[in-house]
Amino acid sequence: MSSTIGAIKEAFTSATGQTAKVADLQNVTSDPSKKPTKGLTTDHGVFISDTDNWYTGLSPTRHDTVRDVRGFATKFYTEEGNWDLVGNNIPVFFIQDAIKFPDLIHAVKPEPHNEVPTGQSAHNNFWDFAGLQPESAHMAMWAMSDRAIPRSLRMMQGFGVNTFTLLNTRGERFFVKFHWIPELGVHSLMWDEALKIAGQDPDFHRKDLEEAISTGAYPKWVFGIQVIPEARENDFDFDILDATKVWPEELVPVEIIGEMVLNRTVDEYFPETEQVAFCTAHVVPGIGFSDDPLLQGRNFSYFDTQLSRLGINWQQLPINRPVCPVLNHHRDGAMQHKITKDLNYWPNRHSVGPPVPPAEGGYAEYPQKIQAIKQRLRSPKFQEHYNHAQLFYNSLQDYEKAHVVSALSFELSHCDDPVVYESYTKLLNNIDFDLAKQVAINVGGVVPDKPARANHGYASSRLSQLAFAPKEPTIKSRRIAILLADGFNSAEVEALRAAFKAGSATTWIIGPRRGSVYPDDEQVGTGNGYSADHHFEGQRSTMFDAIIIPSGAKHAQALAGSGRTIHWVREAFGHCKAIGALGEGVAFLREVVQLPGVQLSPDPNSDAVTTSYGVVTAGRYDVGSAVADTLTIKQGEKGFVANFAYELSKHRCWERESDGLVAKVAF
């Protein structure tokens, strides 16, 4: 196994700078500005005379932040061929055997009589299927958790889901699961926030990813594996080949063997992203397949999908073709890109294109010993469906459990058939009594009087998102909105922006208009002012990780007269985001916004910092305050910036929600 791990490590660590694939893509990259022609032509060379008149159509919107399972696929262009690691941001799946894929997809898709729903699982058919297919219980818990509404694609874990194998040079086989762990931690949106962003900016995640790369805050994941020797396959109380189960890290630790950094974006989306095609059957020497019944079906279906989507020669497309030499006897077919002379069969009289033995680099098939009866059935361990659903729920923080209750209540409340929501609330009672009881009360289901099945009480330390907080707190790539009106303190704003930039966070000026906003030392309409990135009606607090209201008497008075800016702060408070205020900005919070249960800085003449439920305030912030205020992201540090940065690094102040403060604010 060590040689396989070494090869994987080399694939990661050597892929820096100008990779072989980037160089390969340059061969099919053209710049029209450097190759002037007489004019515009069709693909078959005819000059086009009119580019302004044709038929017009509208493309459907895309909901980036809707509750859903996110794919997480990576393609490795190795010297031994392409390896496609195709997975999700959730480590398990709804079904154990690929034969149930059609039923699952049919249950999620729109109903035939009205084509509803097209973009959600909150309907009768899906929950009817899930209630009658209890193997989906574990995946449903993940999908109803915060995992299904990530704050950013950069803050998701990635999982290979299925059980693969590793083969070492001694012919020994190991079972393996693959993991991607984000550098920034695993964070999510709140449900109300996700709903609003879906309407406010349906491309939120795409823009977020591009912004991080373009500003140099490169998204990064470490790559890890869980490995089980073949001799230990049956040592667990669950089947390690069951895709509806996790391998608890207390039993099988994750070994970190590499990392991935996204340091550039594509030049053109369609040929480099839209046409990229993944297939679980694409592996390289040393990596193989287990008897996982879901994986066996995926190996067939993914290849078939690409045939339908892109055609028989889809692997010849520039983004899909390997960087190593390709030689085979495939010919013809639609969209054939290559012209190959001479023989196209084996054996042939010139010995062209012979098989390559494993000793010379050919793919080695593991000689698996089999002693079994061929039947349509699953092993006894495959029949247990609730232990891991309980494990997941038990492992969550209290606020995460509350979000699962809310999500299930939202979904089932959209089911109008009593049979459906009553059946699923009964199923939930096999996972957790309190969970089932609360959801049943919320949706009008069957309220249980006792557990249908005892909760085993076990938890795993690596299932809650909180377990993946960065070792060193960071505000890297976090978006901070600074709310300004004419008359703000410019020295304060400059000091804050410089400090947060040093921590690789971005600051955005939000003002009453897009254009110049004037500080207290400039008359409105004179001087340069500060250029606002957006106006209060052009963006919402949902687009940012935190907000700050600096000092300035006229500025604070103007904000107090704007219902939208008051809503900005209350909404950010309701979404548990860090909020900062200085000087008159503190008075604005106290007298106008009126945040419940929050302590604010009592002395307008002191730079002492008060932090309460993620709200950081100070009476003043002058040159001396700024000099003494270093960006040390650590609880208990002195200074406004240090304290605000620490609250921001926590992602959210969940105590604000669990202590009932959020429920007291309309947003």
Side-chain angles (χ1 to χ4, degrees), residues 134-164:
E135 67 194 60
S136 68
H138 189 196
M139 177 64 166
M141 296 301 291
W142 282 81
M144 293 300 105
S145 76
D146 293 340
R147 299 287 189 145
I149 45 173
R151 155 61 181 87
S152 166
L153 302 180
R154 302 174 290 114
M155 301 172 191
M156 297 190 318
Q157 276 182 282
F159 304 91
V161 178
N162 294 111
T163 301
F164 291 83

Side-chain angles (χ1 to χ4, degrees), residues 93-123:
F93 202 61
F94 291 103
I95 53 177
Q96 296 173 324
D97 193 305
I99 200 171
K100 294 301 295 179
F101 250 122
D103 290 313
L104 170 64
I105 301 306
H106 293 165
V108 174
K109 283 191 172 182
E111 298 188 33
H113 68 290
N114 59 6
E115 192 63 12
V116 173
T118 59
Q120 62 174 331
S121 58
H123 63 104

Side-chain angles (χ1 to χ4, degrees), residues 66-71 87-90 92-94 139 143 147-148:
V66 296
R67 181 176 296 280
D68 201 1
V69 183
R70 265 73 179 176
N88 290 327
N89 70 325
I90 291 176
V92 292
F93 202 61
F94 291 103
M139 177 64 166
R147 299 287 189 145

Side-chain angles (χ1 to χ4, degrees), residues 480-489 492-493 496 507-512 517 532 534-537 539-541 544 546-552 555-556 558-559 562 564-570 572 579-582 585 588-589 593:
I480 305 170
I482 302 178
L483 305 188
L484 298 183
D486 295 324
F488 65 91
N489 185 321
E492 211 173 70
V493 172
L496 293 175
T507 53
W508 305 79
I509 301 298
I510 313 298
V517 186
H534 301 282
H535 60 95
F536 298 133
E537 296 291 342
Q539 285 281 1
R540 294 290 190 272
S541 73
F544 302 92
I547 62 173
I548 293 178
I549 305 98
S551 65
H555 140 84
L559 294 183
S562 168
R564 177 59 70 198
T565 56
I566 297 170
H567 179 264
W568 258 80
V569 181
R570 288 177 175 167
I579 297 172
L582 294 166
F588 169 69
L589 292 185
V593 181

Side-chain angles (χ1 to χ4, degrees), residues 469-616:
K471 293 180 180 179
E472 295 293 331
T474 179
I475 60 172
K476 178 181 175 181
S477 79
R478 293 294 186 169
R479 311 181 88 233
I480 305 170
I482 302 178
L483 305 188
L484 298 183
D486 295 324
F488 65 91
N489 185 321
S490 60
E492 211 173 70
V493 172
E494 288 179 4
L496 293 175
R497 299 192 82 178
F500 294 127
K501 184 178 181 180
S504 296
T506 59
T507 53
W508 305 79
I509 301 298
I510 313 298
R513 55 193 170 271
R514 188 175 185 181
S516 294
V517 186
Y518 296 91
D520 53 9
D521 56 357
E522 288 185 18
Q523 185 177 353
V524 175
T526 63
N528 296 321
Y530 275 56
S531 180
D533 299 291
H534 301 282
H535 60 95
F536 298 133
E537 296 291 342
Q539 285 281 1
R540 294 290 190 272
S541 73
T542 51
M543 302 295 161
F544 302 92
D545 295 295
I547 62 173
I548 293 178
I549 305 98
S551 65
K554 292 182 180 179
H555 140 84
Q557 184 178 6
L559 294 183
S562 168
R564 177 59 70 198
T565 56
I566 297 170
H567 179 264
W568 258 80
V569 181
R570 288 177 175 167
E571 185 175 54
F573 183 82
H575 292 156
C576 299
K577 297 179 179 179
I579 297 172
L582 294 166
E584 289 84 356
V586 181
F588 169 69
L589 292 185
R590 178 183 293 111
E591 299 165 14
V592 181
V593 181
Q594 298 180 345
L595 302 175
V598 175
Q599 296 180 358
L600 302 176
S601 176
D603 187 352
N605 298 312
S606 171
D607 64 359
V609 177
T610 299
T611 300
S612 176
Y613 285 104
V615 179
V616 183

